[in-house]
Amino acid sequence: GELERYHSGIGTGIGWASFAWKIKTICQPGKLAVTGTQQISMLRVLVKNYPEFKKEFLAYSLLRAYEYTFPCNTQEPK
């Protein structure tokens, strides 16, 4: 639905920014396409383990969820 599309749009932006700026905090497998529903699940896992992310802006928390789910070096969100 609408929420999944919203999450998907934010995720697409995160992916393009990571690629364009060569950010090395997210190491998502190259051919993996993450859906809005999967992003919601990623956020749930992050918030379960780090409840303080409930109070953050959605885009910021989703960025941290990507880092947590697809880390390059660590499982700790920044």
Side-chain angles (χ1 to χ4, degrees), residues 1-13:
E2 180 112 0
L3 183 60
E4 289 82 6
R5 284 192 298 276
Y6 181 69
H7 278 87
S8 183
I10 293 171
T12 298

Side-chain angles (χ1 to χ4, degrees), residues 7-8 11-12 28 32-40 42 66 70:
H7 278 87
S8 183
T12 298
Q28 179 177 338
L32 178 65
V34 179
T35 67
T37 301
Q38 291 167 322
Q39 291 171 352
I40 292 169
M42 290 164 47
Y66 266 86
F70 305 111

Side-chain angles (χ1 to χ4, degrees), residues 4-56:
E4 289 82 6
R5 284 192 298 276
Y6 181 69
H7 278 87
S8 183
I10 293 171
T12 298
I14 289 169
W16 279 110
S18 297
F19 175 76
W21 297 327
K22 305 206 183 335
I23 299 169
K24 295 297 178 198
T25 61
I26 301 168
C27 291
Q28 179 177 338
K31 294 187 179 191
L32 178 65
V34 179
T35 67
T37 301
Q38 291 167 322
Q39 291 171 352
I40 292 169
S41 294
M42 290 164 47
L43 277 169
R44 285 185 177 135
V45 170
L46 179 74
V47 169
K48 179 180 176 191
N49 291 300
Y50 299 92
E52 63 271 21
F53 283 100
K54 281 184 189 178
K55 298 176 184 175
E56 297 292 344

